[in-house]
Structure formats: structure tokens, C-alpha cells
Amino acid sequence: MPATPYRRTAGVLLPLFSMRSSTSWGIGEFADVRPFSEWMHGAGLSLLQLLPINAMSPGQNSPYSALSSAALDPIFIAPEAVASFTRAGGISALPKDARDALEAARHATRVDSDAVRAAKGAAFDLAWQAFGDADAEALDAFVEREQYWLDDYTLYRALTDEHGGDWTRWPDALRHREPDAMARARTALARPIRFHGWLQWIADAQWGSARADARENGVDVFGDLPFMVSTASADVWGRQQDFMLDATVGTPPDAFSDAGQDWGVPVYRWPEIAAGGDAWLRMRGRRAASLFDGFRVDHLVGFYRTFVRPRRGAPSFLPGEPYFLPDAPPEQIAQGERIMRLFLETGAAVTAEDLGTVPDYVRESLGRLGLPGYRILRWERHWHQEGQPFRDPAEWPANAVATTGTHDTESLAEWWEHAAVEERRLVQAIPDVARALGTEDHPTLTPRVRDALLAALYDSPSNLLILPFQDLFGWRDRVNTPATVGDANWRWTLPWPVDRLPSIPVAADRARELHALAEETGRL
């Protein structure tokens, strides 16, 4: 089943956590999609690409360290839009330490996830205590409708509250999911199980409203389907037969790391997954299609061939010898195409993040499937030609995602200003850029340079144009630096509340300029 080509459009990449408003609790919330999509409409942007909004592991900031491939993270719930929180007295009824945490979160210049979770955790406890029977029927209907993923998730969350987050250290009967132990746990933990289901019900309702608001403003919302989840996740606990726990997923040496990367997450047992009818992957595709208008497949190449790093000390450990699974290109191609077809069968629009160290056959495979891969200006070059000239965006394929970068790359401004003079000269050899900038070197990303580069991508034949928000303005901020761990990652937020963008002259002016560019290049 080949993909249906997406219409010609311009969009923006912005994590939900970066999208906070003047009323949110220190982080972007589901409700903040409405004012942001209003600004997008004025800017001629009709596609919002998010990073994953899955429930994250406690203490984690990375949206790629999910404890569930299906559950939404309650951190994005707007407590003041929860009726039972208002009935319980609202913010004034919170304990002092929770009010202090809320104050700290709201005044932080970056997302303070710990403070946000502390404040919202107290708010949810209050709201849960005040939850009455009036809405119980609606909650029951949600639980029944979503049981295909919710049953395991809510039991897992209740068990982590009881026994800690590392399920590999739970009592043997629970760790191995023995039926009698599972039944006893469901009975004993009925109340916390319902609480976690209630949180997902609220998150689902608020997210549904956010999508409706975006649609009202002519904006489609795309999600991000991560390649993997954390070992400490409901998915791995629930489907242990599908994962190798004595090895981890990584990447070979690439542009982000000379030594390659080790993500510390378990490896798929591909033969067992295939023998089981790809049940977990089908569930993930079904869930993503229910939440979004389309979704990006993260780390596409991993679905074709996974880079396996045996854990030191494990029986399969061979020092210095990571390997690919499957190990031969024919099997890799067959597996990747089988899985991509599963995602296409969901009916959602699908894009494929085909970046990094990727064999040539992957892009050939995407062509057969009709799946749009990514074209990033700084990496689209004739690498085998003398001087390595850039590929003219005017010659990029129509069925592709044109962009200046991703959440993992440095910003357009950083790249441009740290590039060698010869690198910039080669960019300025692109005809559209040459007409705008001439041959003089421009070492700084001035508005003139920024707009010349963006205009070349807007004018490209690629139907999908999805630009990081920072690059629309020429900022130097970045969301994440791969192969690093630190407080700087996954905490960036816009400098202005999204509900005040129309009154911010810089944002309002930029929206008008982008709208004109979208109109001129047929992307409205």
C-alpha cells in the first residue's frame, strides 16, 4: 500500500513542552495548541509537527524515554480545566509546597519538569478526591474503548507506585506476569488503577479538544512515533518475549558522535515480533493514527536494521563487536517494508526520518512505498563530486520533507555562523540563494540571509516543508544535543507566551512575512 502524497504545505516543528502560555503551569499544555495554531494560521503554516507526547519515565525530560508507547503524559494536562479540581478549591487548595513548586515552574526561564510534576501531582490528587459519580459512565466508556493498551498501562503504573519503577526487581510472580498474581494485583490495586485510567481519560479529552482547535485554524497535527521505549515501560514488561534485555539499541559512528551512540533501550526480537503478527507495532500504529492526523517514524533505519550493542557481562557479549539485526540487506529491506506498510494501513499520513548512517537502499525503499523522507539543506550535497556542491532545492523530490534541521541538529544560525567560508560559498552557489545574496560572504545569519535560505526551501518542489520554530526567526536556541546528557536538553521554551503572540510585534510581523512567502510559493 503506497502512501498518498501529501498536499503542498508549510509547517513548523515545535515540541509541546516549549509551547507554554501565560496561564499554563510552566510547560506547554494541550490547551496551548489553540493559541499557537491561531498564530500559525496567520503565518500561513498548516502543519504542526510535535515531538512525542507519551508518558515519560519519572525524573526524565526526554520525550524519547517513554514508559508507554500509547499513554499521554499527564504533565501536559491543564489542571484548571479539570472540573473536579475547580470543585476541590483550585490552586488555593493546594498544599504550600505544591503552590511553591507551581510558582517556581511558572517563573523558570526553561521547563522545570520536576517542579511541574510536583505541582500537578498535588493538583491531580485533589481533583481525584473530588471526582464524583456524575462522570463515571464517561470514564467507563473510555476505559472500555481504549482497553487494548490501557489495561496493561494502568496496572503497570499502579504496580510501580507499589513496588518501584524497575519491574525487573519486582516479585517473581509479577515480573513474570503469572495469571494468579496479575488477578490479585488488579483486585488489590483497583483504586490506583482507576486513578491512572482517570488521568488518561482527562488527557484524552483535553488532547481531543486541542486537535479540534487546531483543525478549526486549518492546522493538521503530526505526532512522532519513537523507534523504542524505555526498558522501564509498560510495553516491555507486558511483551517481554518481544525484547532482548541483554543488549541495547544504538547507532554506528555518525555526524552526531564519532564513537556512535548507545541509547540504553532494549532491542527488538524481530523474528518473535514477526511470528506474533507484529501485534505491538500494529497497536502503536493504531494508537498514533487515533491521536494525530499523521506521524513521523523516528529512526526509520532501525526498523530495517537495528544496531545492537550487547550489554557488557551478558552471555552474548562480544567486546567491541556490535552488529546489525537482521544482518543481510535482503532481510533488512523485507522487514522494513513490511513494518512501514503496517503504519500506512492506519490511514494516517506518514513521514520517515531517514537521517544518519543510512544505506542507499532505504531511500530506494521509501520511493517504492511512496513515503516522504527528509531533505535537510546542510546535508543534501553531491558528496561524491569534487567540491561536494549542494543539491539545488529546486531539484528535490516532490514527495519529501524539506527542512533546515531537526530537534537534534544545531539551529540554522549556529550552522551558518560556524560553517567555513567555503561552505557558505557553496550554499550561495544555489541559484535562488545566489540571486538573493550575491557572491559576497555573509558570516552572520542576518534576516536577509535567513530569508534567502528559507525562501529557497519554500520554493522547492517538496510538498512538505516543516521548519524548526527557531529557524523561522533565526535564533540560536536548540532543543537537544545528541550523545549528551544534561540540564540543557529538552527544556527549551519560547520567549513569549503563545497566547500573546499577536501582541508581540516581532512575532506578528514575522507571521505576516511568512504568510506572504507561503502564498507566493503556493503553500497556503
Side-chain angles (χ1 to χ4, degrees):
M1 176 182 178
T4 302
Y6 204 77
R7 68 180 186 277
R8 186 168 174 79
T9 191
V12 63
L13 162 65
L14 184 66
L16 181 56
F17 60 75
S18 301
M19 205 184 295
R20 63 185 180 183
S21 68
S22 57
T23 59
S24 59
W25 287 28
I27 192 171
E29 296 173 343
F30 296 132
D32 296 329
V33 169
R34 182 179 184 87
F36 186 68
S37 65
E38 289 171 353
W39 180 86
M40 287 181 62
H41 179 74
L45 300 165
S46 54
L47 191 155
L48 171 59
Q49 173 71 67
L50 298 175
L51 297 188
I53 55 176
N54 305 83
M56 287 181 282
S57 300
Q60 288 283 346
N61 293 326
S62 170
Y64 294 92
S65 62
L67 58 76
S68 169
S69 67
L72 298 174
D73 199 321
I75 201 172
F76 299 121
I77 291 173
E80 290 170 278
V82 179
S84 58
F85 179 62
T86 303
R87 287 199 300 270
I91 292 175
S92 61
L94 290 174
K96 183 179 183 305
D97 59 346
R99 295 199 305 274
D100 290 345
L102 173 56
E103 192 70 9
R106 279 181 159 168
H107 286 89
T109 56
R110 302 173 74 81
V111 176
D112 184 344
S113 297
D114 291 341
V116 174
R117 288 194 188 279
K120 291 195 175 185
F124 298 149
D125 286 343
L126 268 181
W128 174 236
Q129 296 303 321
F131 178 69
D133 294 333
D135 293 321
E137 188 174 335
L139 171 57
D140 290 340
F142 169 79
V143 169
E144 183 176 354
R145 186 185 81 223
E146 303 297 328
Q147 64 179 344
Y148 71 97
W149 64 268
L150 189 64
D151 279 1
D152 260 359
Y153 169 75
T154 53
L155 177 57
Y156 176 80
R157 290 306 308 271
L159 286 168
T160 59
D161 293 344
E162 186 87 0
H163 298 287
D166 183 358
W167 62 265
T168 65
R169 297 180 180 272
W170 289 356
D172 286 352
L174 291 172
R175 180 159 53 91
H176 296 304
R177 297 173 57 90
E178 294 176 6
D180 287 348
M182 297 278 282
R184 287 194 299 271
R186 289 191 184 280
T187 300
L189 300 175
R191 180 74 175 166
I193 286 171
R194 191 159 176 80
F195 167 71
H196 289 292
W198 169 79
L199 275 179
Q200 288 303 306
W201 171 61
I202 292 170
D204 183 81
Q206 291 196 6
W207 176 244
S209 295
R211 276 191 69 189
D213 291 340
R215 194 173 295 116
E216 206 173 281
N217 287 303
V219 172
D220 285 348
V221 182
F222 274 40
D224 193 342
L225 191 145
F227 175 65
M228 266 304 305
V229 290
S230 170
T231 301
S233 66
D235 302 78
V236 177
W237 172 67
R239 303 193 65 86
Q240 296 171 43
Q241 72 279 8
D242 287 348
F243 301 96
M244 297 167 55
L245 300 183
D246 60 353
T248 58
V249 174
T251 64
D254 58 17
F256 298 120
S257 173
D258 291 339
Q261 299 177 49
D262 185 346
W263 296 343
V265 295
V267 179
Y268 291 110
R269 294 185 187 275
W270 289 121
E272 286 80 356
I273 287 173
D278 299 303
W280 186 61
L281 296 173
R282 288 180 188 277
M283 181 279 287
R284 296 187 67 195
R286 173 185 174 185
R287 177 65 172 156
S290 74
L291 292 172
F292 306 105
D293 299 296
F295 55 89
R296 184 194 84 131
V297 178
D298 167 59
H299 190 54
L300 171 79
V301 69
F303 288 103
Y304 284 75
R305 64 176 198 185
T306 305
F307 194 65
V308 180
R309 294 179 176 272
R311 285 190 185 276
R312 189 174 295 275
S316 59
F317 179 68
L318 297 174
E321 295 187 19
Y323 58 92
F324 285 111
L325 188 68
D327 63 355
E331 288 77 18
Q332 294 166 1
I333 294 168
Q335 174 175 288
E337 293 191 359
R338 183 189 85 242
I339 295 168
M340 291 309 109
R341 288 191 180 96
L342 296 181
F343 294 152
L344 289 170
E345 287 169 3
T346 65
V350 180
T351 64
E353 186 265 293
D354 56 342
L355 306 173
T357 305
V358 178
D360 291 341
Y361 71 68
V362 170
R363 278 195 169 173
E364 295 168 4
S365 174
L366 292 184
R368 289 192 294 273
L369 295 167
L371 267 175
Y374 272 64
R375 299 293 185 273
I376 296 183
L377 177 62
R378 71 194 71 174
W379 293 336
E380 284 299 310
R381 304 177 68 156
H382 296 284
W383 293 106
H384 303 301
Q385 290 186 18
E386 185 177 352
Q388 297 179 341
F390 284 84
R391 297 180 189 273
D392 184 353
E395 299 171 358
W396 290 2
N399 195 29
V401 180
T403 186
T404 52
T406 73
H407 63 276
D408 278 335
T409 63
E410 73 269 47
S411 66
L412 180 66
E414 277 190 299
W415 166 63
W416 183 262
E417 293 172 3
H418 289 115
V421 174
E422 176 62 16
E423 181 98 341
R424 292 195 294 268
R425 187 190 69 76
L426 288 172
V427 178
Q428 288 179 222
I430 295 171
D432 280 354
V433 180
R435 282 189 286 272
L437 298 181
T439 57
E440 173 192 355
D441 183 42
H442 298 267
T444 304
L445 191 88
T446 62
R448 179 186 170 199
V449 175
R450 174 200 66 197
D451 289 349
L453 298 176
L454 296 188
L457 297 192
Y458 263 85
D459 203 35
S460 76
S462 299
N463 286 335
L464 284 162
L465 173 72
I466 305 176
L467 298 168
F469 189 89
Q470 301 94 308
D471 290 351
L472 296 178
F473 289 82
W475 296 339
R476 289 156 183 79
D477 309 87
R478 67 183 300 164
V479 173
N480 177 52
T481 302
T484 67
V485 177
D487 289 341
N489 292 338
W490 315 114
R491 298 184 61 204
W492 178 72
T493 186
L494 297 189
W496 317 297
V498 292
D499 53 336
R500 294 180 183 167
L501 289 175
S503 63
I504 306 293
V506 174
D509 290 346
R510 193 62 181 141
R512 285 189 289 271
E513 293 163 359
L514 293 169
H515 190 282
L517 185 56
E519 186 171 26
E520 179 185 328
T521 56
R523 294 190 182 274
L524 273 187

